[in-house]
């Protein structure tokens, strides 16, 4: 399979055209490619057909015409150069992966993977799922191309170093034990233990300087405390302050109570802020409810979320959070005075 992304895209379009029952002329093939943003000449298509036949075993209908014009399609319109048959061993490996993923089949990302892998094993004729589903992703985000390199380090458990450039400070070399990649607000973060500080830190991928990630074999890998790591990430919105002390005044952990309007409650019920949140209806004409968030870390992401609800919410406790939200609303109003 070619590596170049444009070539792969061209092959996918042509492969679909060659599976059409009627077949298509050279001009129709060229027009279809151009409609998809790919402009090539007739010779390119001829060369692609040679590749399809020689490398993928595609067989074309030899004498298919519309009037005097030659039409091109596969002899078997059910075939595809992307439908590579798997060996029994490969099927077995994929089937075992699918069974493990089924534990998480209530999560859309895993449902998508299960669907694709099941299709590979069963060799079903399904359309490119990319046409029918789109996950939130910022393809132009700096650092996104580092994902696979960092994922490999996490999975294979080895220490790495990289140059890290904060927004308002010079770049520094970090030596870390990588544990987890976490996505939030369309950005990716690496959670790792800093070798020098001996603490867990969160590094934004867009601040890791490209081409500076190196394996450090001399550093013996240190396993994480997964229970502590999971607990620290489960009681907060976003990532800020995840590994701070629970009494850290910048990001303290507290029991938060918020009054929520009737119109906003269904949204919060179907998209919980915390897994263990509690909602209690108030006995009043307004039909409001009290949202309880026990043991949540108060950070900038939580404040931003509360502010995003606008007049539909009112922070009741703790008083410190109520005053911070009130102050931010006051600053915002001043901009419009």
């Amino acid at each position: 399979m070619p590596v170049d992304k444009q070539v792969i895209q061209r092959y996918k379009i042509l492969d679909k055209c060659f599976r059409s029952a009627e077949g298509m002329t050279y001009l129709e093939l060229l027009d279809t490619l151009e409609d998809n943003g790919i402009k090539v000449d007739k010779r390119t298509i001829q060369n692609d057909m040679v590749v399809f036949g020689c490398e993928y075993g595609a067989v074309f209908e030899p004498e298919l015409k519309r009037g005097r014009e030659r039409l091109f399609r596969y002899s078997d319109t059910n075939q595809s150069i992307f439908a590579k048959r798997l060996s029994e061993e490969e099927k077995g490996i994929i089937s075992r992966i699918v069974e493990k993923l089924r534990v998480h089949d209530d999560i859309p990302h895993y449902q998508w993977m299960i669907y694709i892998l099941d299709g590979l094993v069963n060799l079903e004729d399904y359309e490119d799922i990319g046409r029918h589903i789109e996950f939130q992703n910022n393809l132009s985000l700096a650092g996104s191309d580092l994902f696979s390199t960092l994922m490999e380090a996490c999975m294979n458990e080895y220490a790495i170093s990289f140059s890290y450039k904060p927004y308002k400070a010079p770049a520094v070399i970090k030596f870390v034990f990588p544990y987890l990649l976490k996505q939030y607000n369309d950005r990716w973060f690496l959670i790792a233990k800093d070798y020098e500080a001996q603490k867990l830190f969160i590094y934004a991928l867009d601040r890791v300087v490209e081409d500076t990630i190196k394996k450090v074999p001399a550093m013996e890998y240190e396993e994480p405390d997964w229970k502590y790591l999971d607990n620290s990430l489960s009681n907060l919105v976003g990532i800020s302050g995840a590994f701070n002390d629970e009494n850290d005044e910048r990001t303290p952990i507290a029991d938060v109570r918020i009054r929520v309007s009737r119109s906003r409650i269904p949204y919060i019920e179907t998209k919980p802020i915390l897994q263990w949140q509690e909602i209690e209806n108030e006995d009043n004409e307004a039909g409001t409810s009290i949202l309880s968030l026990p043991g949540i870390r108060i950070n900038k992401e939580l404040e931003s979320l509360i502010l995003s609800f606008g007049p539909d919410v009112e922070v009741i406790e703790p008083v410190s959070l109520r005053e911070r939200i009130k102050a931010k609303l006051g600053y915002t109003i001043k901009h419009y005075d």
Side-chain angles (χ1 to χ4, degrees):
M1 180 66 68
V3 176
D4 185 87
K5 290 182 179 179
Q6 189 182 49
V7 173
I8 294 175
Q9 181 64 15
R10 189 173 76 239
Y11 280 15
K12 285 184 176 180
I13 295 168
L14 288 176
D15 182 69
K16 187 171 183 178
C17 290
F18 293 147
R19 285 186 281 133
S20 65
E22 294 183 0
M24 299 176 73
T25 65
Y26 275 126
L27 182 58
E28 289 169 340
L29 292 169
L30 290 169
D31 288 343
T32 302
L33 287 169
E34 191 166 351
D35 289 342
N36 286 272
I38 301 175
K39 193 169 185 177
V40 295
D41 56 20
K42 178 179 174 181
R43 183 175 293 278
T44 300
I45 293 179
Q46 291 173 333
N47 291 336
D48 287 345
M49 290 175 64
V50 172
V51 172
F52 280 28
C54 295
E55 295 190 17
Y56 301 99
V59 178
F60 292 91
E61 190 68 27
E63 300 294 336
L64 189 64
K65 291 185 177 182
R66 184 191 301 140
R68 294 185 178 181
E69 288 188 290
R70 172 79 190 276
L71 297 173
F72 300 91
R73 71 165 172 81
Y74 295 138
S75 295
D76 178 4
T77 55
N78 290 318
Q79 80 171 87
S80 168
I81 66 168
F82 295 98
K84 174 184 177 294
R85 291 196 170 272
L86 301 173
S87 66
E88 291 304 313
E89 181 181 1
E90 289 171 326
K91 287 183 180 181
I93 292 172
I94 293 175
S95 295
R96 290 194 291 273
I97 293 172
V98 169
E99 287 306 308
K100 289 183 180 293
L101 289 176
R102 289 195 192 283
V103 177
H104 309 285
D105 63 4
D106 57 331
I107 302 174
H109 284 65
Y110 289 106
Q111 292 173 7
W112 173 75
M113 286 188 278
I114 290 169
Y115 180 82
I116 287 293
L117 292 172
D118 263 341
L120 286 174
V121 172
N122 299 319
L123 293 177
E124 296 174 349
D125 182 23
Y126 58 89
E127 292 290 329
D128 182 2
I129 196 171
R131 290 179 177 266
H132 308 291
I133 185 169
E134 181 176 323
F135 292 109
Q136 182 180 359
N137 190 27
N138 184 353
L139 297 176
S140 60
L141 178 66
S144 57
D145 54 339
L146 306 176
F147 183 90
S148 59
T149 301
L150 294 171
M151 191 71 234
E152 181 182 355
C154 292
M155 294 291 292
N156 292 304
E157 300 184 343
Y158 57 77
I160 59 173
S161 67
F162 53 80
S163 179
Y164 193 69
K165 178 69 174 68
Y167 290 141
K168 298 181 180 180
V172 291
I173 302 298
K174 297 289 184 179
F175 291 85
V176 305
F177 303 107
Y179 296 145
L180 173 69
L181 286 161
K182 180 176 175 63
Q183 186 182 35
Y184 176 71
N185 196 24
D186 210 16
R187 299 175 68 206
W188 282 98
F189 301 86
L190 171 69
I191 295 174
K193 183 177 182 179
D194 185 279
Y195 174 73
E196 295 180 356
Q198 285 294 296
K199 289 177 58 179
L200 287 171
F201 283 89
I202 300 173
Y203 303 96
L205 264 61
D206 58 309
R207 301 180 213 173
V208 176
V209 180
E210 193 174 358
D211 298 328
T212 64
I213 302 174
K214 297 179 181 178
K215 187 175 181 179
V216 186
M219 289 171 55
E220 185 177 352
Y221 189 78
E222 295 183 16
E223 289 283 346
D225 180 343
W226 286 110
K227 185 177 180 180
Y228 168 73
L229 198 155
D230 291 340
N231 289 340
S232 298
L233 294 173
S234 65
N235 70 337
L236 80 167
V237 177
I239 49 92
S240 295
F243 308 112
N244 291 353
D245 183 82
E246 66 178 33
N247 296 317
D248 190 314
E249 62 180 14
R250 297 167 300 176
T251 55
I253 293 177
D255 294 335
V256 173
R257 298 179 76 242
I258 302 173
R259 179 171 286 112
V260 185
S261 69
R262 179 182 300 170
S263 61
R264 184 64 69 167
I265 282 297
Y267 179 88
I268 295 176
E269 285 180 329
T270 55
K271 188 180 180 183
I273 296 174
L274 281 184
Q275 291 182 359
W276 54 83
Q277 70 181 28
E278 299 173 3
I279 299 176
E280 179 184 348
N281 293 330
E282 288 190 292
D283 186 14
N284 57 33
E285 293 183 2
T288 57
S289 299
I290 298 296
L291 170 67
S292 296
L293 302 171
I296 191 171
R297 187 174 291 278
I298 300 175
N299 58 10
K300 60 184 181 182
E301 289 96 331
L302 176 62
E303 292 179 11
S304 296
L305 180 61
I306 292 172
L307 289 167
S308 73
F309 292 147
D312 289 335
V313 301
E314 175 196 354
V315 176
I316 302 172
E317 296 175 347
V319 175
S320 58
L321 176 60
R322 179 182 176 90
E323 292 302 316
R324 284 160 68 170
I325 296 296
K326 181 179 178 180
K328 289 191 175 184
L329 288 171
Y331 296 146
T332 301
I333 291 172
K334 287 182 179 180
H335 289 304
Y336 296 92
D337 288 342

PDB file of all heavy atoms in Angstrom, residues 117-128:
ATOM      1  N   LEU A 117     -13.170  -3.648  13.305  1.00  0.00           N
ATOM      2  CA  LEU A 117     -12.454  -4.911  13.467  1.00  0.00           C
ATOM      3  C   LEU A 117     -13.351  -6.102  13.156  1.00  0.00           C
ATOM      4  O   LEU A 117     -12.912  -7.080  12.555  1.00  0.00           O
ATOM      5  CB  LEU A 117     -11.903  -5.015  14.891  1.00  0.00           C
ATOM      6  CG  LEU A 117     -10.778  -4.015  15.224  1.00  0.00           C
ATOM      7  CD1 LEU A 117     -10.438  -4.060  16.704  1.00  0.00           C
ATOM      8  CD2 LEU A 117      -9.542  -4.304  14.391  1.00  0.00           C
ATOM      9  N   ASP A 118     -14.625  -6.018  13.550  1.00  0.00           N
ATOM     10  CA  ASP A 118     -15.561  -7.086  13.198  1.00  0.00           C
ATOM     11  C   ASP A 118     -15.686  -7.217  11.683  1.00  0.00           C
ATOM     12  O   ASP A 118     -15.763  -8.312  11.140  1.00  0.00           O
ATOM     13  CB  ASP A 118     -16.944  -6.794  13.797  1.00  0.00           C
ATOM     14  CG  ASP A 118     -17.158  -7.518  15.117  1.00  0.00           C
ATOM     15  OD1 ASP A 118     -16.425  -8.479  15.376  1.00  0.00           O
ATOM     16  OD2 ASP A 118     -18.047  -7.106  15.875  1.00  0.00           O
ATOM     17  N   GLY A 119     -15.696  -6.069  11.006  1.00  0.00           N
ATOM     18  CA  GLY A 119     -15.792  -6.078   9.552  1.00  0.00           C
ATOM     19  C   GLY A 119     -14.591  -6.737   8.906  1.00  0.00           C
ATOM     20  O   GLY A 119     -14.706  -7.459   7.917  1.00  0.00           O
ATOM     21  N   LEU A 120     -13.397  -6.508   9.476  1.00  0.00           N
ATOM     22  CA  LEU A 120     -12.190  -7.127   8.936  1.00  0.00           C
ATOM     23  C   LEU A 120     -12.228  -8.640   9.082  1.00  0.00           C
ATOM     24  O   LEU A 120     -11.872  -9.381   8.174  1.00  0.00           O
ATOM     25  CB  LEU A 120     -10.959  -6.571   9.665  1.00  0.00           C
ATOM     26  CG  LEU A 120     -10.519  -5.145   9.321  1.00  0.00           C
ATOM     27  CD1 LEU A 120      -9.387  -4.704  10.238  1.00  0.00           C
ATOM     28  CD2 LEU A 120     -10.066  -5.054   7.871  1.00  0.00           C
ATOM     29  N   VAL A 121     -12.670  -9.097  10.251  1.00  0.00           N
ATOM     30  CA  VAL A 121     -12.696 -10.538  10.505  1.00  0.00           C
ATOM     31  C   VAL A 121     -13.733 -11.234   9.640  1.00  0.00           C
ATOM     32  O   VAL A 121     -13.487 -12.287   9.066  1.00  0.00           O
ATOM     33  CB  VAL A 121     -12.992 -10.808  12.003  1.00  0.00           C
ATOM     34  CG1 VAL A 121     -13.214 -12.299  12.235  1.00  0.00           C
ATOM     35  CG2 VAL A 121     -11.833 -10.306  12.852  1.00  0.00           C
ATOM     36  N   ASN A 122     -14.915 -10.619   9.529  1.00  0.00           N
ATOM     37  CA  ASN A 122     -16.018 -11.249   8.795  1.00  0.00           C
ATOM     38  C   ASN A 122     -16.007 -10.934   7.313  1.00  0.00           C
ATOM     39  O   ASN A 122     -16.816 -11.466   6.555  1.00  0.00           O
ATOM     40  CB  ASN A 122     -17.350 -10.811   9.405  1.00  0.00           C
ATOM     41  CG  ASN A 122     -17.466 -11.230  10.859  1.00  0.00           C
ATOM     42  OD1 ASN A 122     -17.070 -12.332  11.225  1.00  0.00           O
ATOM     43  ND2 ASN A 122     -17.997 -10.340  11.692  1.00  0.00           N
ATOM     44  N   LEU A 123     -15.098 -10.017   6.899  1.00  0.00           N
ATOM     45  CA  LEU A 123     -14.968  -9.636   5.495  1.00  0.00           C
ATOM     46  C   LEU A 123     -16.295  -9.168   4.911  1.00  0.00           C
ATOM     47  O   LEU A 123     -16.676  -9.521   3.805  1.00  0.00           O
ATOM     48  CB  LEU A 123     -14.412 -10.798   4.666  1.00  0.00           C
ATOM     49  CG  LEU A 123     -12.963 -11.185   4.987  1.00  0.00           C
ATOM     50  CD1 LEU A 123     -12.556 -12.388   4.160  1.00  0.00           C
ATOM     51  CD2 LEU A 123     -12.006 -10.041   4.731  1.00  0.00           C
ATOM     52  N   GLU A 124     -17.029  -8.389   5.704  1.00  0.00           N
ATOM     53  CA  GLU A 124     -18.293  -7.860   5.220  1.00  0.00           C
ATOM     54  C   GLU A 124     -18.029  -6.694   4.274  1.00  0.00           C
ATOM     55  O   GLU A 124     -17.048  -5.991   4.395  1.00  0.00           O
ATOM     56  CB  GLU A 124     -19.149  -7.389   6.399  1.00  0.00           C
ATOM     57  CG  GLU A 124     -19.548  -8.537   7.318  1.00  0.00           C
ATOM     58  CD  GLU A 124     -20.264  -8.016   8.551  1.00  0.00           C
ATOM     59  OE1 GLU A 124     -20.247  -6.791   8.761  1.00  0.00           O
ATOM     60  OE2 GLU A 124     -20.815  -8.838   9.293  1.00  0.00           O
ATOM     61  N   ASP A 125     -18.944  -6.473   3.362  1.00  0.00           N
ATOM     62  CA  ASP A 125     -18.831  -5.362   2.424  1.00  0.00           C
ATOM     63  C   ASP A 125     -19.464  -4.121   3.056  1.00  0.00           C
ATOM     64  O   ASP A 125     -20.667  -3.927   3.002  1.00  0.00           O
ATOM     65  CB  ASP A 125     -19.541  -5.692   1.106  1.00  0.00           C
ATOM     66  CG  ASP A 125     -19.405  -4.565   0.093  1.00  0.00           C
ATOM     67  OD1 ASP A 125     -18.459  -3.770   0.218  1.00  0.00           O
ATOM     68  OD2 ASP A 125     -20.254  -4.490  -0.820  1.00  0.00           O
ATOM     69  N   TYR A 126     -18.654  -3.316   3.731  1.00  0.00           N
ATOM     70  CA  TYR A 126     -19.174  -2.113   4.353  1.00  0.00           C
ATOM     71  C   TYR A 126     -18.477  -0.895   3.781  1.00  0.00           C
ATOM     72  O   TYR A 126     -17.329  -0.950   3.346  1.00  0.00           O
ATOM     73  CB  TYR A 126     -19.008  -2.158   5.878  1.00  0.00           C
ATOM     74  CG  TYR A 126     -17.584  -2.334   6.343  1.00  0.00           C
ATOM     75  CD1 TYR A 126     -16.757  -1.227   6.574  1.00  0.00           C
ATOM     76  CD2 TYR A 126     -17.055  -3.611   6.552  1.00  0.00           C
ATOM     77  CE1 TYR A 126     -15.455  -1.387   6.993  1.00  0.00           C
ATOM     78  CE2 TYR A 126     -15.747  -3.774   6.973  1.00  0.00           C
ATOM     79  CZ  TYR A 126     -14.960  -2.661   7.199  1.00  0.00           C
ATOM     80  OH  TYR A 126     -13.671  -2.822   7.614  1.00  0.00           O
ATOM     81  N   GLU A 127     -19.191   0.217   3.768  1.00  0.00           N
ATOM     82  CA  GLU A 127     -18.633   1.458   3.244  1.00  0.00           C
ATOM     83  C   GLU A 127     -17.569   2.002   4.183  1.00  0.00           C
ATOM     84  O   GLU A 127     -17.509   1.647   5.359  1.00  0.00           O
ATOM     85  CB  GLU A 127     -19.747   2.499   3.083  1.00  0.00           C
ATOM     86  CG  GLU A 127     -20.750   2.156   2.008  1.00  0.00           C
ATOM     87  CD  GLU A 127     -20.159   2.257   0.615  1.00  0.00           C
ATOM     88  OE1 GLU A 127     -19.263   3.088   0.411  1.00  0.00           O
ATOM     89  OE2 GLU A 127     -20.587   1.493  -0.258  1.00  0.00           O
ATOM     90  N   ASP A 128     -16.740   2.886   3.656  1.00  0.00           N
ATOM     91  CA  ASP A 128     -15.735   3.549   4.466  1.00  0.00           C
ATOM     92  C   ASP A 128     -16.443   4.307   5.593  1.00  0.00           C
ATOM     93  O   ASP A 128     -17.177   5.260   5.351  1.00  0.00           O
ATOM     94  CB  ASP A 128     -14.945   4.521   3.589  1.00  0.00           C
ATOM     95  CG  ASP A 128     -13.841   5.208   4.367  1.00  0.00           C
ATOM     96  OD1 ASP A 128     -13.650   4.931   5.561  1.00  0.00           O
ATOM     97  OD2 ASP A 128     -13.167   6.044   3.750  1.00  0.00           O
TER      98      ASP A 128
END
